Amino acid sequence: MADIIFEPLRFKNLTVKNRVFRSNISGRFDNYDGSGNQARINWEVKFAKGGVGAIISSFVPVHLRGRIVPNYAMIDNDSRIPFWRALGKAVHEHDCKYILQLSHGGRQRDINGIEYPVGLSSTGKTDPVHGFKCEAMTLAQIKEVVGYFADGARRAREAGLDGVELHGANGYLITQFLSSAINDRKDDYGGSLENRARFVLDIVRAIRAKVGADFHLQMKISATEHDDALGLFRKLKPKGNTVEDSVKVCQWLVQAGVDAIHVSTGSFFPHPRNPAGVDLPVEDLAKSYDTMISSGERTFLNYLLFRGQPRIARRAWNQAAGDRKHIEGANLKDARAIKQAVAVPVICTGGFQTASVIRGAIERGDCDAVSAARPLVANNELVKMFARGLDEAPEPCTYCNKCLVNVVENPLGCYDEDRFKSRAEMIDQIMSVYTPAPFAGV
Ligand SMILES: Cc1cc2nc3c(=O)[nH]c(=O)nc-3n(C[C@H](O)[C@H](O)[C@H](O)COP(=O)(O)O)c2cc1C
Ligand code: SF4
């Protein structure tokens, strides 16, 4: 019998050769000014070679004010198009599709950079985790940012990429509008679910007006927000959007022209449930979080907590993480609820790295495809292993989240030393993203 994992997935405007997508993930590989670098191309090609059907890029800012950290390639003006064209071409050589994630961080950032110390948001309240300052967007600013997303989609199309994804998940600007826990506006963009969804629906319509009906457009959404996961008074906090809210939003998105839904969770990032880990690696976190100390109002206190009271930080995080024994497929219930309500394919993210689990999820109708980030960082060739008949990699991802806590300061790769024969081997694997080098020297 044919293996569903290797059956092509047909979207309205795109066909992907199998059901495993590389989920959005990358390191700070590019130039400070947002121009792309060879390391990002090397990074993406690793996964294309490993057999995934499509790669969904990491966060690609549509405007400088929307970036979360410097050194991520941007798509904020036409001069960026040649870089994305080169990247798409390199990925296509391995029969892999490339979907670019159009993103704006709003108030949620890691390092604000020198250009825009104050972010934009639906609200004027600082973000609750790091305390990044922001201002509530005016109607004129909303219109402007909607235009940035549409121009980003046009540029992705001109670059020959296979589609775009709206980063509508994990607490970034679109979530800041969608979320009942964050959006406190009194105008047409706040209040009811319909009003909170207006911003993203404006974006979808603006993109369709710019790129037409035949370019792939998908949306990543935090189906359940769990906004009350952290904080001293979390029991008093609102939970944010429920899956029922998100089902409604997804139906509106599809009516407005979205071709697929990518299901995630959590109203901020990182969140104890996303990327879900077996433990919070506080000691590693304390080593990299210093990079963020001067960025937000709460970052220094967080740093003292990680350094001075790691046990308290670890306990608070782990208690909020839900079932840490069942990380693989934790979002499938939400994916299923959405899939039953919309007529477009649904991709689910969260822990996927076992062929039988992925197969089961698709065969049961919980989703049409899965996306994987950390498991593919740990095993770039996981899909090829599935094709050879393995159910899992010999050294699976341990969900230790050391890659996550290193990413703000260090190059991205797998940081679980126990998975390697030696520390030197681990470091070689991390540094491999810099080969081939952009400038070979004379
Ligand atoms: C280091 C790191 C960076 C990430 N960057 C992004 C991002 O730019 N955009 C996004 O939508 N998700 C991002 N994610 C979330 C992943 O795409 C994925 O949805 C999540 O980690 C759960 O999947 P996994 O268990 O396969 O890692 C990131 C995750 C990690 C660990
Ligand atoms: S550091 Fe490696 S093993 Fe740990 S979560 Fe990241 S990819 Fe998985």
Side-chain angles (χ1 to χ4, degrees):
M1 214 175 75
D3 185 348
I4 186 83
I5 293 177
F6 293 98
E7 263 179 37
L9 179 57
R10 287 185 181 83
F11 299 95
K12 181 168 169 253
N13 296 306
L14 172 70
T15 300
V16 172
K17 71 178 172 192
N18 64 43
R19 306 302 178 98
V20 184
F21 290 50
R22 204 296 309 281
S23 194
N24 329 71
I25 190 164
S26 83
R28 296 175 57 188
F29 298 137
D30 307 289
N31 301 315
Y32 196 101
D33 67 353
S35 54
N37 220 331
Q38 181 66 39
R40 180 169 296 269
I41 299 181
N42 298 344
W43 174 256
E44 302 296 39
V45 165
K46 276 173 190 269
F47 303 98
K49 276 188 186 162
V52 295
I55 290 171
I56 320 173
S57 81
S58 67
F59 193 104
V60 182
V62 293
H63 187 263
L64 250 180
R65 200 168 181 178
R67 70 173 171 180
I68 49 174
V69 70
N71 306 96
Y72 265 45
M74 299 177 52
I75 193 147
D76 58 328
N77 65 65
D78 286 8
S79 74
R80 315 292 194 193
I81 295 173
F83 170 73
W84 291 108
R85 188 176 291 127
L87 188 152
K89 190 168 166 276
V91 164
H92 288 157
E93 277 167 18
H94 301 277
D95 189 21
C96 179
K97 304 292 186 193
Y98 198 82
I99 298 167
L100 181 140
Q101 186 177 51
L102 295 172
S103 313
H104 193 299
R107 69 174 187 175
Q108 183 172 276
R109 299 157 136 196
D110 297 319
I111 298 171
N112 35 25
I114 54 174
E115 298 91 351
Y116 292 102
V118 177
L120 291 172
S121 187
S122 63
T123 173
K125 293 193 190 129
T126 58
D127 91 276
V129 182
H130 308 297
F132 280 96
K133 284 194 192 135
C134 65
E135 60 187 48
M137 287 160 77
T138 62
L139 292 181
Q141 284 171 322
I142 289 178
K143 211 169 155 201
E144 222 169 54
V145 173
V146 167
Y148 298 151
F149 275 95
D151 281 330
R154 171 187 55 79
R155 292 179 190 120
R157 183 169 197 159
E158 279 177 35
L161 304 182
D162 301 290
V164 287
E165 172 175 278
L166 293 179
H167 197 349
N170 310 144
Y172 298 106
L173 184 60
I174 293 177
T175 312
Q176 288 158 38
F177 274 85
L178 279 176
S179 175
S180 57
I182 301 173
N183 184 334
D184 57 2
R185 301 180 74 88
K186 303 280 177 271
D187 61 9
D188 286 352
Y189 289 85
S192 67
L193 183 64
E194 208 175 353
N195 279 359
R196 300 195 313 270
R198 196 179 304 281
F199 177 58
V200 68
L201 292 171
D202 283 356
I203 292 173
V204 172
R205 290 187 198 104
I207 289 178
R208 282 295 175 222
K210 262 246 147 104
V211 301
D214 60 352
F215 186 55
H216 180 75
L217 168 61
Q218 61 184 48
M219 159 93 170
K220 193 171 191 185
I221 190 166
S222 285
T224 307
E225 291 192 337
H226 301 289
D227 192 68
D228 57 346
L230 292 176
L232 281 180
F233 303 105
R234 65 183 174 282
K235 293 214 165 91
L236 302 175
K237 283 175 85 178
K239 289 185 188 314
N241 290 4
T242 61
V243 67
E244 290 76 23
D245 296 327
S246 296
V247 161
K248 203 73 226 149
V249 171
C250 289
Q251 289 173 326
W252 293 331
L253 286 166
V254 172
Q255 277 166 20
V258 162
D259 300 323
I261 305 289
H262 186 185
V263 178
S264 181
T265 192
S267 61
F268 49 90
F269 188 85
H271 186 282
R273 291 171 185 264
N274 181 60
V278 288
D279 197 5
L280 179 69
V282 200
E283 289 75 17
D284 292 61
L285 179 59
K287 281 189 219 153
S288 59
Y289 197 79
D290 57 326
T291 305
M292 292 176 61
I293 286 181
S294 61
S295 292
E297 285 177 347
R298 272 183 276 281
T299 40
F300 183 56
L301 280 180
N302 289 346
Y303 180 67
L304 293 180
L305 176 71
F306 302 148
R307 284 298 291 259
Q309 298 291 337
R311 276 203 306 191
I312 294 179
R314 176 176 274 132
R315 197 179 330 125
W317 190 266
N318 288 346
Q319 273 174 0
D323 181 356
R324 285 181 291 133
K325 288 203 177 71
H326 297 98
I327 288 174
E328 187 163 7
N331 297 323
L332 278 174
K333 204 161 154 244
D334 284 355
R336 185 178 180 84
I338 292 173
K339 186 165 161 53
Q340 287 175 345
V342 296
V344 297
V346 170
I347 306 160
C348 185
T349 196
F352 291 102
Q353 60 176 341
T354 312
S356 51
V357 173
I358 297 169
R359 203 173 285 128
I362 301 170
E363 281 172 354
R364 269 195 315 277
D366 294 349
C367 60
D368 299 280
V370 302
S371 74
R374 295 165 302 166
L376 288 164
V377 172
N379 291 287
N380 299 168
E381 307 231 319
L382 185 61
V383 176
K384 282 195 172 159
M385 292 179 193
F386 292 164
R388 291 204 304 272
L390 288 188
D391 195 38
E392 59 172 11
E395 290 286 349
C397 167
T398 58
Y399 310 120
C400 71
N401 267 343
K402 290 182 182 171
C403 52
L404 170 76
V405 300
N406 270 282
V407 75
V408 177
E409 191 165 285
N410 300 315
L412 187 59
C414 179
Y415 280 80
D416 185 355
E417 221 173 308
D418 293 343
R419 295 189 58 257
F420 299 87
K421 288 197 197 84
S422 63
R423 185 164 176 83
E425 190 185 271
M426 180 185 90
I427 290 173
D428 280 354
Q429 168 264 150
I430 293 165
M431 300 312 282
S432 66
V433 72
Y434 295 104
T435 310
F439 176 59
V442 285

